[in-house]
Amino acid sequence: MNANTPRQHPAEWDQDAQLLSQTARDLPTGRHQFHKERLMAQIHEQAQQVQREERTAATAPQKARRFRLPRPAITLPAMAAALSAVVVAGMVTLGDGGTGVRDSAVATGPALTSDLGTVSTKGVPQLIDQISLAAAEGDHPTVKPGQYIYIESVLADTFVKTVDDKSSLASHELHRRQMWESPDGVKGWLIDPAVNDSPEGETLSLPDEQGNTPKAHLGGPSYDYLTKLTTDPDKLLAKIYKETKGQGNTPDQQAFATIGDLLVESYPPAELYPALFKAAAKIPGVVVVDDAVDAAGRHGVAVARQDETSGQREEWIFDKKTHVYLGARNVQVKELKEEGVVIKPGTVNFTMAIKNRAVVDGMKQTPSQAG
């Protein structure tokens, strides 16, 4: 029951609190968010504060703080939200920019960089029409009770690393991420070396340790929740603006980021998938980037929007021929100074690529095992 969005070209994401897939995106200096829900963002912030205090108490000689990745990055549905407080050890993803990589996994690689490509407002409607058509024609099985949505991706991010009070840009190595989620968002599993303490991964099943089972919503959706959303682009966009009011740096950027999150680590139903692209086309400031590269090294064309506050550009990358969704990234377009470190244009704050997205019959089952 393979449901590869791109006929072997999948797609993925994260947000505020550690919802990973919550793929992180465009808040003030936006860069480190795991799921995209503001409530989770608060939990995430509190968790980080606790971690900072613990490190200070332990007088750790080293510490690494990562940027809030521009919302994209990776997103785990509703259940992830509840987990954020638990999984919040550190990540790599969207909205807040989402990165959740554990400090123990901090890499010493150089900052990720890329060419900015050529940006144009021309051709946006035509490109999104082609993308919407490809989305509508793609193989997109319905998820049934008892089945699981499987999403496999690779991702990496750039962050500020501080050693002995000296800060510099560094990166976390590209790594594989696998996530399983039930249609109702209540059961799930995550394998991500940047987040998990064990190579076997950890459960995302609810209720959480506090006995909470959060209700799915736009910022933390389940598949079942997405099936109930309107597929009318105008009504859908109006709902997004209404429910994300007060979030992000600007209403338009937040609306764009919210749609981006839904493209990443979630599984929009067949009818909703093209509607998301059509709704995005109506957001002011959307542009086309002629050449963008996903985390797997695949070149494509991107639908993007720049956050003037953070100077970051969020890009959704598509195959130039098939117009299938490949992945997403956030690139610094305007120079920014954070923690005394200059983040130059071309710095890739977050990058991810969908390697597989399918419907499987069991937790931890992969498409290859399903036959």
Side-chain angles (χ1 to χ4, degrees):
M1 289 193 187
N2 198 333
N4 285 336
T5 304
R7 302 173 192 152
Q8 299 304 307
H9 287 231
E12 161 172 283
W13 230 290
D14 258 310
Q15 188 207 31
D16 278 311
Q18 139 69 66
L19 272 196
L20 303 32
S21 105
Q22 316 92 8
T23 272
R25 287 176 204 284
D26 47 44
L27 295 192
T29 65
R31 273 185 184 78
H32 182 224
Q33 153 188 348
F34 233 62
H35 203 188
K36 29 190 177 182
E37 56 178 31
R38 286 331 179 202
L39 293 179
M40 282 300 82
Q42 295 176 2
I43 294 176
H44 183 64
E45 183 177 3
Q46 293 173 356
Q48 286 186 316
Q49 179 60 36
V50 171
Q51 290 179 332
R52 285 196 290 270
E53 293 174 355
E54 290 177 344
R55 290 174 198 143
T56 300
T59 63
Q62 295 188 22
K63 69 175 181 177
R65 292 186 62 187
R66 57 219 77 228
F67 296 144
R68 293 181 168 183
L69 295 181
R71 229 188 181 85
I74 300 171
T75 16
L76 294 184
M79 64 177 166
L83 283 189
S84 11
V86 180
V87 191
V88 108
M91 289 178 22
V92 185
T93 56
L94 29 185
D96 218 19
T99 81
V101 178
R102 292 177 290 108
D103 286 337
S104 60
V106 168
T108 56
L112 304 175
T113 60
S114 176
D115 292 333
L116 292 176
T118 301
V119 175
S120 175
T121 56
K122 296 181 179 180
V124 173
Q126 293 84 349
L127 175 60
I128 291 186
D129 281 345
Q130 294 172 317
I131 291 171
S132 299
L133 182 60
E137 295 179 339
D139 182 23
H140 215 79
T142 298
V143 188
K144 302 176 182 178
Q147 294 185 313
Y148 290 85
I149 296 164
Y150 170 75
I151 299 176
E152 177 184 343
S153 60
V154 291
L155 60 152
D157 74 329
T158 294
F159 60 96
V160 172
K161 180 180 180 180
T162 301
V163 179
D164 296 330
D165 296 325
K166 295 183 179 179
S167 298
S168 62
L169 286 181
S171 64
H172 285 107
E173 64 182 10
L174 188 70
H175 64 280
R176 181 191 191 194
R177 175 186 172 84
Q178 295 171 284
M179 188 200 80
W180 289 261
E181 184 192 25
S182 60
D184 59 8
V186 174
K187 295 181 180 180
W189 194 266
L190 173 69
I191 299 178
D192 186 337
V195 179
N196 306 143
D197 291 320
S198 166
E200 287 75 34
E202 62 189 283
T203 181
L204 293 179
S205 298
L206 298 175
D208 62 15
E209 294 183 349
Q210 287 70 46
N212 301 313
T213 301
K215 184 178 180 180
H217 57 88
L218 192 60
S222 65
Y223 175 80
D224 289 347
Y225 171 85
L226 294 177
T227 62
K228 297 178 175 62
L229 287 181
T230 176
T231 57
D232 179 287
D234 291 306
K235 293 181 180 179
L236 179 60
L237 187 58
K239 177 181 178 63
I240 292 173
Y241 273 110
K242 179 179 180 181
E243 296 194 12
T244 60
K245 185 178 181 179
Q247 299 177 17
N249 290 330
T250 66
D252 292 333
Q253 187 62 33
Q254 182 59 34
F256 187 82
T258 297
I259 294 175
D261 288 343
L262 294 178
L263 299 176
V264 185
E265 211 161 64
S266 68
Y267 185 76
E271 298 76 15
L272 179 64
Y273 203 36
L276 290 171
F277 296 119
K278 293 177 181 179
K282 299 176 181 295
I283 299 174
V286 173
V287 299
V288 172
V289 181
D290 69 335
D291 186 54
V293 186
D294 70 6
R298 299 174 298 193
H299 285 258
V301 61
V303 173
R305 192 178 192 285
Q306 182 175 327
D307 180 349
E308 294 300 333
T309 302
S310 65
Q312 296 178 39
R313 186 172 70 206
E314 179 175 339
E315 302 176 347
W316 308 339
I317 306 171
F318 301 86
D319 184 276
K320 292 183 178 181
K321 294 182 179 179
T322 65
H323 298 105
V324 165
Y325 180 77
L326 300 178
R329 70 176 184 176
N330 289 71
V331 182
Q332 197 69 36
V333 176
K334 290 185 177 181
E335 185 173 293
L336 176 70
K337 191 171 185 179
E338 184 167 313
E339 297 186 41
V341 177
V342 175
I343 305 167
K344 298 180 179 180
T347 299
V348 179
N349 301 307
F350 171 82
T351 180
M352 61 74 56
I354 294 297
K355 299 300 292 181
N356 204 341
R357 181 152 51 179
V359 177
V360 296
D361 294 324
M363 183 89 82
K364 302 183 188 179
Q365 181 184 73
T366 62
S368 59
Q369 294 172 331

